[in-house]
Amino acid sequence: MILMKDITRDGDPVLRKEAAKVSFPLSEEDQKLADDMMEYLKVSQDPELCKKYGLRAGVGLAAPQVGVSKMMAAVLVPAEEGAKSPFTDVIINPVIISHSVQSGALTEGEGCLSVDKEVPGFVPRHDRITLRYQDTKGETHKVRLKNYPAIVCQHEIDHLHGILFYDHINKDNPYEVSDDTIMFE
Ligand SMILES: [Zn+2]
């Protein structure tokens, strides 16, 4: 089971590397990695287990964050009451094939399991994306995501290209975003 001690932290060169594409069928090792990453998210979202194992709750975890430089990330955005759309899968070799001109950002800013300190500021991203990825069976999916799940996937895909969320924050005006940016929780 992945614990906080297994999470690579900012400063580790693996977080700044371009990850390698994953080939199919998945090796046993890659399948286990996919399972372990998704398990971490599930356990971390259970308040009792999260506390028991000393985890930080997460909705996404990318392979470089556990020291493996491969194009794989687990995403678990649970269904909530109301309008928020869920998205759960292990996304492999993901590519954003198109995106909205409209930007979106979280009112709370973003956090990351690999970044121990809070970095204040808005993180402007695409509000809507069309994402192509392979699942663990090698099947290709093309999904359209908007708002929160779109932001989570962009954050995770960034990890596969050596980018961290705070790279997107305007250094002079951390809370400045373009007028047409949709802000949401
Ligand atoms: Zn992150």
Side-chain angles (χ1 to χ4, degrees):
M1 184 181 163
I2 295 170
L3 299 171
M4 285 310 291
K5 67 171 173 56
D6 305 310
I7 306 279
T8 52
R9 301 298 164 70
D10 195 4
D12 190 318
V14 73
L15 291 173
R16 291 303 190 178
K17 266 174 75 174
E18 180 77 15
K21 273 192 87 169
V22 176
S23 54
F24 289 91
L26 287 190
S27 64
E28 255 176 61
E29 199 185 353
D30 287 346
Q31 180 67 56
K32 183 175 180 335
L33 175 64
D35 295 342
D36 287 351
M37 290 196 301
M38 186 56 83
E39 182 194 38
Y40 177 93
L41 298 180
K42 281 184 187 150
V43 172
S44 81
Q45 289 181 20
D46 179 313
E48 268 176 39
L49 292 177
C50 185
K51 204 172 154 203
K52 179 177 169 191
Y53 293 110
L55 307 182
R56 267 179 73 193
V59 288
L61 183 63
Q65 294 184 274
V66 289
V68 182
S69 193
K70 288 184 180 174
M71 291 244 169
M72 188 192 289
V75 176
L76 177 49
V77 178
E80 287 176 42
E81 352 53 89
K84 278 186 191 169
S85 49
F87 177 75
T88 299
D89 212 345
V90 175
I91 59 174
I92 299 173
N93 303 325
V95 181
I96 294 169
I97 53 177
S98 66
H99 62 78
S100 61
V101 174
Q102 180 123 47
S103 309
L106 301 175
T107 51
E108 307 268 292
E110 294 185 21
C112 179
L113 295 172
S114 294
V115 179
D116 289 324
K117 61 179 194 294
E118 253 183 60
V119 185
F122 295 137
V123 181
R125 297 193 182 273
H126 308 303
D127 179 55
R128 298 180 298 282
I129 59 170
T130 302
L131 173 67
R132 188 178 64 211
Y133 68 93
Q134 287 165 289
D135 64 19
T136 54
K137 296 190 169 62
E139 261 174 59
T140 301
H141 298 258
K142 205 168 96 176
V143 293
R144 300 174 79 173
L145 301 170
K146 63 175 183 175
N147 299 350
Y148 190 65
I151 293 218
V152 174
C153 285
Q154 288 172 83
H155 179 121
E156 296 315 318
I157 291 168
D158 270 356
H159 275 303
L160 309 179
H161 300 284
I163 299 165
L164 293 171
F165 74 94
Y166 62 74
D167 298 345
H168 296 288
I169 298 176
N170 182 323
K171 278 170 193 63
D172 300 320
N173 297 298
Y175 288 101
E176 189 178 86
V177 287
S178 60
D179 289 340
D180 69 340
T181 303
I182 299 183
M183 302 296 299
F184 46 87
E185 282 172 32

